[in-house]
Amino acid sequence: MWSLIRQSIAMRKVQSASVLVGVVLGVASLFALFLLYQGVFSGIATSISRDGADLLVIPSDAESSVSDDDLLFTGAPVTMYFSSSVADQIAGIDGVERVTGQFYGQTLDASCCSSIGAVRLVGYDASIDWVIRPWATMDGGEIPSQLVEGEVIIGSNVKGFGVDDPKVLGNPVTVVAVLAPTGTDLDDCILMDIDQVRAISAATDGYGHYWEKYGDPTGLLSAVLVSVDDGDQDAVAAKIEALGGVHVIKSAEAVKEVQGQMRVVFQVMLGAGVLLAVASLAKLFARFFSMAWDRRRELALYRAVGASRRDISRLIAGEAAVLVGAGSAVGLVLGVGLYRLMLGLLTTQGGFPFIACAPLVVAGGAVIIIVIFAIAGALAVAAPLRQAGRIDPASALQQVDID
Amino acid sequence: MSLDAFGITHSYDDDPVLADVQLSLAAESSVAIMGSSGCGKTTLLSVLGLLLAPRAGTVAFDGRSSSTMDEPERARLRGERIGFVFQTAQLVGSLRAWENVVVPARFRAGKAAGAAARARDLLDGFGLSDYAEHFPHQLSLGQRRRIALARALLLDPALVIADEPTDDLDADNARFVADTLFARTQEGGSLIVATHDRVLAERADAILMLEDGHLDPVSDT
């Protein structure tokens, strides 16, 4: 039976290749879209669900080097500073519930540290922070309310700290917590006590010009995160802007904007993906719809030499299964490549929170898409199966050779 | 395998073809069915080979009526115990010569394993060993008919039904086909052959004439 299926597919090379390519493209586009959609919207949902800051305040000169979305969603810790007194000023504004500051240090890599790949050093004050805490997990207990010298919290993507004696800039460190995936560049950060990062940065070669420009790092911050009392965020943001020298990013607005943009992007992509899938299913139908009629003499011969109706059904269904199965397998692999390509392209267009799908979700998506195409394949062969059931084996005795 | 047909009646639309046909074929015997073109020989062979259900009547194999068999059982009987030699070779164009020969084994569980070797042996015996890998369009009419004959004999059927097996063949090929078919009866098989060829028919144990839907004996040979 298998050899007959193989021969039949091989004999109809163009038809079979056309169906195969159609299934591959349909599966690949749907799978890539599924992975992207899940990643983006779970990133956004995760961002919203965490008790993050309502406002992000940065030096006004940072606007020229990085966009609001990048700052908010990629967490892009850029080299930007203003006086830490800004945090005190903001804390004194009516409607501000609480504030916490962060200090962005240098980029670290394997040449100086245990990290594999580039990671960013970020200083924060654990005693007053409420932004980082919800993302942190720690085996066997609470996250310390104060990080002491040598204690670090690492992002979910930071690798290389599972060794016996992890180091940062030559100093031994202890990992006290690992952040859950945030879908932002925070996943690639190492968090330390803010004063320790300031001290490290002050001693870092090549950073002198920053301190000449902004002053002693012990009195600087890179960003102030603000939680607003229930009320008008816009009014509070305006008051902060009025302090001068600062730029305020409103989280809720930015999230809503990105959500809207992503929805449009995905609607367009989903439309294209669905069209591709429909085209591939149409090919599948076209390939099999007239199959039983086109091959009635061949199928009649098989009936005559001993094939039952069920055997003929298995033969037809087997061809569809091979084409759909092989197309789906290749399509899933291609879909992963397409997903990476599209993610790269989207990332170049702006920052957005993104959390890669868990293996179980990836597997679930793959199964759903395979089931969709399997059902479509089954529908495509339903007509030929009905026709095949009516094939008269006696027609094999007619005086016409089989093509 | 013995075969008994009782009261076989068949028509296409309102055009009667077979009218109360009776036929008995003992094991290890042969019968030739003659008649003019369009008289219903192929229809009768289709009924006898369980390819076509008659409007009335029944066919029994070794005493068991086909009307008691379900479709898969009839298919199994066709595949395992009946070999067909069609009017034309009826080879599948996408399959090589040896693959065409093994087609019946593809649908029989447990038969596929030795089928390829058996097909090669048959092709060797039929002088076609050099053509085993050829596709049908690369073969002559006589070669195609011999491949079709090999396909019919692949599973060593108890009954061979041949419809005009020597039609269109040159003398050498016709003799080869006829010799092969009738040799089966010497080896324990039965043979039903429909033919216009009187010489071929006379090699059978009995000759029957189909005329106006009725099947009557012509003579014993």
Side-chain angles (χ1 to χ4, degrees):
Chain A
M1 183 73 80
W2 163 242
S3 70
L4 288 177
I5 291 171
R6 185 172 49 80
Q7 296 280 357
S8 177
I9 290 172
M11 186 65 184
R12 296 161 180 85
K13 286 188 181 69
V14 175
Q15 285 175 304
S16 302
S18 168
V19 172
L20 200 64
V21 168
V23 173
V24 166
L25 292 179
V27 169
S29 57
L30 286 184
F31 192 48
L33 281 172
F34 170 81
L35 295 177
L36 273 178
Y37 184 90
Q38 286 293 321
V40 169
F41 285 93
S42 81
I44 289 173
T46 307
S47 291
I48 293 169
S49 70
R50 300 285 177 160
D51 183 20
D54 298 317
L55 304 173
L56 176 65
V57 183
I58 57 169
S60 55
D61 58 358
E63 278 183 274
S64 57
S65 56
V66 63
S67 73
D68 290 359
D69 291 349
D70 281 340
L71 273 168
L72 197 61
F73 297 125
T74 68
V78 292
T79 314
M80 55 187 188
Y81 302 101
F82 52 22
S83 169
S84 57
S85 64
V86 172
D88 299 330
Q89 289 176 281
I90 293 171
I93 292 174
D94 281 348
V96 171
E97 184 190 16
R98 51 188 171 173
V99 297
T100 186
Q102 291 184 350
F103 184 94
Y104 301 154
Q106 61 267 56
T107 300
L108 312 174
D109 58 29
S111 67
C112 66
C113 309
S114 300
S115 61
I116 297 169
V119 297
R120 191 70 186 233
L121 191 58
V122 173
Y124 85 113
D125 186 346
S127 63
I128 57 169
D129 168 78
W130 78 95
V131 179
I132 301 297
R133 179 169 290 274
W135 298 97
T137 57
M138 189 175 73
D139 292 337
E142 286 291 311
I143 296 160
S145 58
Q146 185 71 48
L147 293 179
V148 299
E149 188 173 345
E151 288 184 336
V152 297
I153 295 173
I154 60 174
S156 61
N157 287 343
V158 176
K159 306 284 187 261
F161 282 80
V163 295
D164 289 340
D165 54 344
K167 287 188 171 62
V168 169
L169 294 164
N171 302 308
V173 294
T174 305
V175 177
V176 296
V178 179
L179 298 184
T182 65
T184 71
D185 276 1
L186 202 53
D187 296 339
D188 298 306
C189 286
I190 296 177
L191 294 141
M192 281 180 127
D193 176 69
I194 191 165
D195 289 330
Q196 202 179 348
V197 176
R198 282 169 172 153
I200 289 170
S201 298
T204 300
D205 291 342
Y207 270 56
H209 63 284
Y210 289 122
W211 318 137
E212 283 172 18
K213 180 179 176 184
Y214 296 109
D216 184 353
T218 55
L220 297 178
L221 287 173
S222 298
V224 176
L225 296 98
V226 181
S227 174
V228 177
D229 286 331
D230 290 341
D232 189 356
Q233 283 187 14
D234 289 342
V236 174
K239 287 175 190 170
I240 296 173
E241 290 270 14
L243 295 175
V246 299
H247 174 61
V248 182
I249 302 167
K250 296 170 205 161
S251 307
E253 263 181 30
V255 168
K256 201 173 164 186
E257 193 179 331
V258 167
Q259 223 171 354
Q261 287 169 352
M262 284 297 165
R263 190 156 287 129
V264 171
V265 169
F266 273 99
Q267 277 169 353
V268 172
M269 290 199 297
L270 191 63
V274 167
L275 279 178
L276 260 177
V278 167
S280 69
L281 296 179
K283 277 198 178 89
L284 202 64
F285 271 83
R287 165 77 164 76
F288 285 98
F289 188 74
S290 58
M291 173 187 179
W293 175 251
D294 294 342
R295 293 168 59 189
R296 64 194 179 284
R297 299 207 182 285
E298 177 190 343
L299 299 178
L301 170 77
Y302 294 154
R303 292 287 315 277
V305 300
S308 62
R309 286 195 181 97
R310 191 175 173 194
D311 291 327
I312 298 298
S313 297
R314 284 169 58 203
L315 187 65
I316 294 172
E319 281 191 37
V322 167
L323 290 174
V324 172
S328 297
V330 176
L332 289 176
V333 174
L334 196 67
V336 173
L338 190 62
Y339 151 73
R340 286 181 178 159
L341 182 71
M342 289 164 81
L343 181 59
L345 286 172
L346 280 176
T347 308
T348 61
Q349 299 305 307
F352 54 89
F354 188 89
I355 296 180
C357 296
L360 204 60
V361 176
V362 175
V367 168
I368 289 169
I369 290 169
I370 288 172
V371 167
I372 289 172
F373 274 79
I375 290 172
L379 290 175
V381 298
L385 287 180
R386 273 198 307 276
Q387 291 169 349
R390 293 195 293 264
I391 283 177
D392 176 10
S395 63
L397 271 74
Q398 292 171 359
Q399 293 185 51
V400 181
D401 257 326
I402 301 166
D403 295 332
Chain B
M1 181 167 72
S2 67
L3 180 149
D4 295 286
F6 308 102
I8 304 296
T9 299
H10 198 71
S11 60
Y12 293 109
D13 297 325
D14 292 329
D15 188 14
V17 180
L18 304 174
D20 195 26
V21 168
Q22 316 287 332
L23 185 147
S24 284
L25 178 70
E28 301 182 37
S29 65
S30 57
V31 62
I33 298 169
M34 299 191 73
S36 57
S37 294
C39 72
K41 296 191 296 295
T42 298
T43 300
L44 178 58
L45 293 187
S46 299
V47 171
L48 298 177
L50 301 183
L51 298 176
L52 181 66
R55 304 261 180 202
T58 186
V59 181
F61 295 88
D62 288 335
R64 182 162 177 224
S65 170
S66 62
S67 59
T68 64
M69 301 175 188
D70 58 13
E71 189 271 334
E73 197 176 354
R74 286 197 297 275
R76 190 165 57 247
L77 186 67
R78 279 200 304 272
E80 292 179 354
R81 306 207 66 193
I82 303 174
F84 290 95
V85 179
F86 305 110
Q87 243 173 318
T88 54
Q90 298 286 59
L91 302 182
V92 180
S94 58
L95 303 180
R96 298 175 189 279
W98 75 268
E99 291 168 333
N100 265 289
V101 175
V102 300
V103 161
R106 299 293 185 209
F107 301 102
R108 301 267 67 84
K111 301 280 185 183
R118 165 85 172 138
R120 300 274 181 183
D121 287 346
L122 283 166
L123 291 176
D124 279 352
F126 290 3
L128 291 169
S129 52
D130 291 341
Y131 301 93
E133 298 295 330
H134 284 52
F135 287 99
H137 71 271
Q138 297 169 311
L139 302 169
S140 70
L141 176 66
Q143 288 168 331
R144 292 206 297 269
R145 295 290 281 273
R146 277 189 276 175
I147 287 164
L149 185 59
R151 179 180 62 197
L153 302 180
L154 179 80
L155 298 181
D156 200 17
L159 170 66
V160 173
I161 295 177
D163 190 9
E164 309 277 11
T166 57
D167 209 21
D168 300 331
L169 292 182
D170 59 45
D172 287 343
N173 275 307
R175 191 180 313 110
F176 175 83
V177 168
D179 288 349
T180 305
L181 286 173
F182 281 99
R184 298 284 306 158
T185 59
Q186 308 301 314
E187 298 161 2
S190 306
L191 172 67
I192 301 173
V193 59
T195 183
H196 292 289
D197 184 348
R198 183 82 195 183
V199 175
L200 176 67
E202 285 177 350
R203 295 180 65 171
D205 298 326
I207 300 176
L208 302 173
M209 180 65 73
L210 184 63
E211 197 167 13
D212 296 331
H214 298 282
L215 190 65
D216 298 307
V218 171
S219 65
D220 288 334
T221 57

